Every structure is written in structure tokens, then in C-alpha cells.
Amino acid sequence: PRAELRVGLNSYAISRTAGQPWSGGREDGSLGVKVRFVEGGEKGSWKPNVSLLAKTSVPSGEASEHINAWQPETKLIAGWTLTDRIDFTSNVNAAAVKDGTWHNEYAVSGSLGFGITDKIRTYAEGYSFFIGGQHPARLPYVNAGATYQFTPDLQVDLRGGSGVHRSFTGPDYFVGLGISRRW
């Protein structure tokens, strides 16, 4: 009840950099473990659920979408149940990323979730990456999405967002569709 093993299968990504043609392929998969250290209080309590997620990419994607290296990442996650239908979650992340050369990448986020029905949830999130290396940068983003829970162990999600920073390559936005299965 306090730990889970996570296996991320290869996602299919389609992307385009301004002035370049569209490209696509399978991204790297991932392996990780999540452990809850603190059990949160009742709804409306200031005591959060606190978990640590440690994971790494697995070099298994197609050449156009894959980095030939294991890239470790840790996340400290805190979540509060505000009401029966509203929750707030925040993350602090640290990763070692290879993008030509190795550099550190840090991120922070805050997400407000809303339960529309027992099966449908929505969220709005703001987050920012802090990238080290030869070209340090701070890249803030906003995104929103929804999940539909078919069963307690199967859900689908749809999300979309945009960078709210100056991009030197043009518009910076994304959309995604995912499926999560718990065994």
C-alpha cells in the first residue's frame, strides 16, 4: 500500500521544430519506484501525502526520439485533499539529462485537480524547468487536462499546454493522450 513499481512503455511522439519538418517515433521507456513516506490527513488538513519517486529512462526508443543513455530523475511529491472533489499537488524534481552533453535539470510544479464525477477528473498546472549546462535557462509552462477512469485500474488521459517563455524557435506547445494500467 505504500510502494509501487512503475514501468513506462515507449510512447510515440510527433514533434516539429520551427523551420524543420515533422519527425516522429517511439520515445525511450522508463523504470521507477514510488514510495509514500507520509500519509496525509483528512480532507482540509494541512498534513499532505508525501512520496518520493525515483526513475530512469531506458534507452529503447527509435533513433529520432531516443537518447542513448539512462537518465535518472527523482521527484518529491506532496499532495493535499482540499475537499471531496478538489486537491492540490506539488513536485520538486531533479534529473541528470543528456542532450548532446550531460547537465542537471530541476523542475517545480503546482497542480489543482477537480473531480467532475466519480470517473472524470480535470486539472490545471503550472511548472517550470531550470536547465543547467552550457546554455542555462528557466522555462515556465502551463497545461490542463482530463482523465477518464474506466475501472479502478485503467484510465485514459488527454492533456495540452504551452510554454509561457520566449522561445527562439517559434511557438512552444504540446498535446498528449495516454493510457495508464495498474496491476
Side-chain angles (χ1 to χ4, degrees):
R2 291 186 164 271
E4 59 188 58
L5 176 63
R6 292 186 165 199
V7 177
L9 302 178
N10 303 79
S11 296
Y12 191 85
I14 301 171
S15 61
R16 188 182 83 152
T17 302
Q20 301 294 318
W22 289 91
S23 68
R26 285 182 301 107
E27 295 180 309
D28 290 338
S30 64
L31 289 174
V33 63
K34 181 179 176 184
V35 179
R36 184 176 46 208
F37 292 103
V38 177
E39 183 75 39
E42 298 289 319
K43 66 182 171 192
S45 168
W46 286 100
K47 183 179 179 186
N49 285 307
V50 178
S51 299
L52 182 67
L53 172 63
K55 71 176 192 170
T56 185
S57 65
V58 177
S60 57
E62 293 179 302
S64 63
E65 301 297 325
H66 129 98
I67 304 294
N68 192 22
W70 297 70
Q71 298 182 96
E73 176 182 9
T74 59
K75 293 183 180 189
L76 181 62
I77 306 161
W80 292 264
T81 302
L82 305 176
T83 71
D84 287 337
R85 299 251 184 223
I86 301 173
D87 56 62
F88 178 79
T89 304
S90 63
N91 294 328
V92 176
N93 309 349
V97 177
K98 185 175 183 184
D99 186 10
T101 61
W102 283 99
H103 64 273
N104 293 327
E105 184 175 284
Y106 304 96
V108 295
S109 72
S111 175
L112 195 57
F114 306 93
I116 305 300
T117 70
D118 289 342
K119 293 186 174 280
I120 300 172
R121 292 194 54 79
T122 62
Y123 74 91
E125 177 181 39
Y127 60 96
S128 195
F129 290 103
F130 302 89
I131 299 171
Q134 290 181 314
H135 306 286
R138 179 180 153 289
L139 303 173
Y141 287 84
V142 294
N143 77 105
T147 61
Y148 181 81
Q149 191 171 26
F150 289 99
T151 71
D153 297 322
L154 178 67
Q155 81 175 22
V156 64
D157 66 85
L158 177 64
R159 62 200 173 279
S162 176
V164 290
H165 54 84
R166 278 190 162 189
S167 174
F168 299 105
T169 59
D172 188 7
Y173 56 88
F174 62 90
V175 294
L177 176 68
I179 299 172
S180 298
R181 171 77 167 113
R182 180 173 51 192
W183 281 274

